[in-house]
């Protein structure tokens, strides 16, 4: 009866050794392998990255497109504003544009104690030219006058068309004597212009009125003063023989 007990004890001892051996030699699962995402998860992550990149690229392209359109719109607005301030026939400031320049000049003069002169000039007998030879002839006269006045002024000065046959000039840093002398020069330059329409020789003069500009000036009032002075001058020039419409 004792032998079986020894056999059982030996078998139990052998079993303990085998169990310990299995525990020691069992392969361990690498930690990296356990943390590594499955192929489906990696593919989903890559797809998400690609989608995000495409979305960013699309957004950047949309922003660039909007900026381009905004630049074009601002340029168009500037062109329209310039057109609104420019006489389409003569390519010089119209009344709106000239009055804006005059307002700026007066504001500058008030701040920096500068001075200048405003000259309003009206073309003599333009209406009879239009009536006799058509508005095309009148336009030619106006273009020649605008070009003549532009040649007579400095780069800092401004010449504009107030409307119809009336022009205005903004001249910087002129005394009263110099301004009146300049007005006479403008009149003489226009008197010297000559045109031929339908074989007939045509001349048209101009009458100029002066208003001084300074720190105490008002733009609207200055235009009124120069305009009134111009009409006085026009009344005097009606009797000057050198001003004529048509001669053979």
């Amino acid at each position: 009866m004792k032998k079986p007990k020894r056999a059982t004890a030996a078998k139990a001892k052998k079993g303990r050794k085998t169990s310990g051996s299995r525990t020691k030699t069992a392969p361990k699962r690498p930690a990296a392998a356990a943390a590594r995402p499955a192929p489906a998860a990696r593919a989903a992550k890559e797809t998400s990255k690609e989608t995000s990149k495409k979305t960013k690229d699309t957004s950047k392209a949309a922003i660039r497109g909007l900026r381009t359109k905004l630049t074009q719109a601002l340029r168009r607005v500037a062109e329209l504003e310039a057109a609104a301030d420019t006489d389409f026939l003569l390519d010089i400031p119209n009344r709106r544009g000239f009055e804006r320049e005059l307002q700026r000049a007066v504001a500058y003069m008030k701040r920096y104690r500068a001075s200048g002169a405003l000259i309003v000039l009206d073309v003599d007998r333009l209406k009879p030219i239009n009536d006799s030879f058509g508005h095309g002839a009148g336009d030619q006269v106006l273009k020649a006058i605008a070009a003549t006045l532009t040649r007579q002024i400095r780069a800092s000065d401004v010449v504009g068309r107030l409307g119809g046959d009336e022009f205005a000039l903004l001249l910087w840093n002129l005394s009263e004597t110099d301004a009146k002398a300049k007005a006479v020069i403008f009149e003489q330059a226009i008197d010297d212009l000559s045109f031929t329409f339908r074989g007939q020789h045509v001349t048209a003069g101009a009458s100029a009125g002066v208003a001084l500009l300074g720190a105490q000036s008002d733009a609207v009032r200055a235009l009124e003063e120069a305009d009134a002075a111009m009409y006085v001058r026009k009344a005097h020039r009606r009797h000057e023989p050198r001003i004529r419409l048509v001669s053979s």
Side-chain angles (χ1 to χ4, degrees), residues 167-202:
F167 293 82
L169 299 104
L170 170 61
L171 309 175
W172 287 89
N173 302 321
L174 288 181
S175 66
E176 181 177 4
T177 301
D178 292 338
K180 291 181 177 179
K182 195 68 175 175
V184 173
I185 291 174
F186 291 146
E187 289 179 347
Q188 184 63 54
I190 296 173
D191 288 347
D192 292 341
L193 294 175
S194 62
F195 308 88
T196 301
F197 301 121
R198 299 176 189 170
Q200 293 182 301
H201 180 68
V202 177

Side-chain angles (χ1 to χ4, degrees), residues 198-244:
R198 299 176 189 170
Q200 293 182 301
H201 180 68
V202 177
T203 62
S207 303
V210 179
L212 297 180
L213 299 173
Q216 306 302 321
S217 295
D218 176 79
V220 176
R221 180 59 181 165
L223 274 172
E224 292 174 351
E225 292 176 358
D227 199 54
M230 178 271 295
Y231 278 109
V232 172
R233 177 62 176 159
K234 181 179 283 289
H236 292 163
R237 284 172 58 85
R238 285 197 183 111
H239 305 289
E240 295 182 8
R242 63 180 177 177
I243 305 301
R244 60 195 185 279

Side-chain angles (χ1 to χ4, degrees), residues 115-171:
S115 63
L118 172 66
I119 297 178
V120 171
L121 186 147
D122 189 81
V123 181
D124 294 327
R125 301 177 185 271
L126 182 64
K127 186 178 184 303
I129 293 177
N130 285 329
D131 293 342
S132 299
F133 305 104
H135 287 277
D139 290 347
Q140 185 175 334
V141 172
L142 291 173
K143 289 178 180 179
I145 291 174
T148 299
L149 294 175
T150 301
R151 286 194 299 267
Q152 296 286 335
I153 63 174
R154 299 161 294 184
S156 59
D157 299 332
V158 181
V159 57
R161 183 186 183 190
L162 299 182
D165 55 1
E166 194 169 60
F167 293 82
L169 299 104
L170 170 61
L171 309 175

Side-chain angles (χ1 to χ4, degrees), residues 47-76:
T47 301
S48 177
K49 287 182 179 179
E50 292 178 1
T51 302
S52 178
K53 184 176 183 300
K54 289 180 180 179
T55 301
K56 289 181 179 179
D57 292 342
T58 302
S59 298
K60 290 180 179 179
I63 291 172
R64 286 194 297 268
L66 290 174
R67 285 176 176 170
T68 300
K69 290 180 179 179
L70 177 60
T71 301
Q72 293 173 347
L74 291 175
R75 186 182 300 114
R76 181 57 178 162

